[in-house]
Amino acid sequence: MLRNPDWGMAELATHFGKSETWISAALARLAELSLAEKSPEAGDHWHTISPALGLASILARKEAELARHQQEVELSRGAVSALMAQYSALNVGSPRLESEFYTDLGEVRMKIEQLAREARHEVLAFAPGGVQPKEVLDNSRPLDEAVLGRGISMRTVYLESIRNDAASVGYARWLTDLGGQVRTVSTLPLRMIVVDRSTAMLPLDPAEARAGAFVVTSEGVITPLVALFERVWQDATPLGAPQRRDSYGLTSQEREVLHLLGLGLTDDGVARHLGISLRTVRRIMSELMTRMKVKSRFQAGLIAGALGWVADAETIKAPR
């Protein structure tokens, strides 16, 4: 329509090889998006509206929807807090959450060593944070070797960013050679260790590992944690295998970069969230822009949305 402003529905139908009913529905959708409108002086003639105006209208509606959702979240949070207060006051006699808290990092390490010694069947772990420091890997070797030496199953999920670090890859391969299983994903929800499906160690603050950890043995907590692990494990890529690509040809890491940038995170924020370098974020975006044949990130965002490479704004949530 921009290239051929004098065309009516008949010409558009001929050009696309569609019926005028199909063209009419498409034009109605463009009108909903404030990108086209029917000409008042011509019966079936439509003309385009400035994309700047149309997109501004779309963004305004999205912002209003997000504000409404945020308000609903705040109301829900208040309702949950009130319900928890009433629950505590009534003291209905339900089993207490069995947990231990550790705020000293030395105590956390000692508890991890204890859990490893007491493991009898299985250890499941999420290891976010990207590339692991050499001293952390060196300190973990004796403990992991002892666990695997007892024939205990060990499955660990790392971030895909470790594939770019020789030391981290070497350590992961060493684990595999001893009988452990290692897979990678683009993002992990939190750091976690689950031992024998009966005890779990979790961070007090997922955003700050140094804040400490707590250990929980409640079946009501352990069961969903194991289910979460199995779901992530199923979608993860085994170490040594090439990264999986979806039906659009995107790796999970590429899709996550687009997702986070679409949420408004800076390159630096994306790098920290995915445990990769700032340089890697920019390289991924450069490669994606080349594939989309665009020159600006604004164009890339529009094209990625049109291609279905990113989720709709109403279905995504920003990371903490």
Side-chain angles (χ1 to χ4, degrees), residues 114-148:
Q114 178 188 339
L115 292 174
R117 289 194 302 269
E118 295 175 351
R120 293 292 177 266
H121 309 289
E122 177 187 61
V123 176
L124 311 175
F126 284 161
V131 174
Q132 306 294 308
K134 184 177 183 301
E135 58 271 20
V136 172
L137 298 179
D138 291 341
N139 292 336
S140 299
R141 284 181 185 272
L143 202 60
D144 292 339
E145 187 172 17
V147 170
L148 291 169

Side-chain angles (χ1 to χ4, degrees), residues 20-297:
E20 291 196 14
T21 301
W22 188 94
I23 297 296
S24 179
L27 290 170
R29 178 59 180 151
L30 288 174
E32 291 176 6
L33 296 173
S34 300
L35 293 173
E37 65 180 0
K38 200 168 187 178
S39 300
E41 66 276 2
D44 69 342
H45 190 76
W46 290 67
H47 64 81
T48 58
I49 298 174
S50 169
L53 296 176
L55 291 173
S57 176
I58 294 171
L59 290 174
R61 288 202 300 271
K62 290 294 184 183
E63 288 172 353
E65 291 170 4
L66 288 172
R68 177 172 54 80
H69 288 317
Q70 182 63 33
Q71 184 179 20
E72 291 174 354
V73 168
E74 293 302 327
L75 289 172
S76 297
R77 182 179 289 116
V80 169
S81 297
L83 180 61
M84 290 175 64
Q86 293 176 25
Y87 181 86
S88 299
L90 290 172
N91 190 20
V92 295
S94 296
R96 291 182 176 273
L97 182 66
E98 302 168 9
S99 57
E100 303 170 355
F101 295 84
Y102 304 91
T103 56
D104 181 80
L105 294 184
E107 293 180 347
V108 171
R109 285 192 290 269
M110 291 176 61
K111 187 61 179 180
I112 291 175
E113 292 174 3
Q114 178 188 339
L115 292 174
R117 289 194 302 269
E118 295 175 351
R120 293 292 177 266
H121 309 289
E122 177 187 61
V123 176
L124 311 175
F126 284 161
V131 174
Q132 306 294 308
K134 184 177 183 301
E135 58 271 20
V136 172
L137 298 179
D138 291 341
N139 292 336
S140 299
R141 284 181 185 272
L143 202 60
D144 292 339
E145 187 172 17
V147 170
L148 291 169
R150 302 203 309 270
I152 294 170
S153 170
M154 179 182 287
R155 288 187 285 163
T156 307
V157 183
Y158 289 97
L159 292 180
E160 287 176 353
S161 56
I162 72 160
R163 294 171 178 262
N164 302 319
D165 180 69
S168 297
V169 170
Y171 181 80
R173 293 192 185 283
W174 173 79
L175 274 180
T176 303
D177 291 341
L178 289 180
Q181 299 180 66
V182 175
R183 294 187 178 184
T184 62
V185 292
S186 62
T187 183
L188 285 169
L190 77 170
R191 187 174 298 277
M192 177 178 79
I193 300 174
V194 180
V195 177
D196 294 336
R197 307 199 173 204
S198 61
T199 305
M201 174 174 274
L202 303 166
L204 288 174
D205 182 355
E208 180 49 66
R210 294 183 175 277
F214 69 98
V215 174
V216 63
T217 57
S218 171
E219 183 179 355
V221 176
I222 301 295
T223 299
L225 290 177
V226 172
L228 171 64
F229 180 90
E230 295 294 355
R231 177 60 181 172
V232 173
W233 181 262
Q234 178 182 352
D235 294 337
T237 303
L239 186 71
Q243 295 185 47
R244 298 173 181 172
R245 294 186 179 274
D246 61 18
S247 58
Y248 298 104
L250 298 173
T251 66
S252 60
Q253 188 177 64
E254 289 172 338
R255 181 178 287 279
E256 195 64 23
V257 167
L258 286 171
H259 167 82
L260 294 173
L261 289 173
L263 290 175
L265 269 69
T266 63
D267 287 359
D268 188 55
V270 173
R272 288 197 305 272
H273 187 75
L274 297 183
I276 57 181
S277 68
L278 182 61
R279 182 178 179 180
T280 299
V281 173
R282 290 172 176 169
R283 174 183 57 77
I284 290 173
M285 272 308 300
S286 176
E287 291 174 352
L288 290 173
M289 289 170 64
T290 298
R291 285 164 59 183
M292 287 185 276
K293 299 180 181 179
V294 297
K295 295 183 179 180
S296 73
R297 289 199 176 189

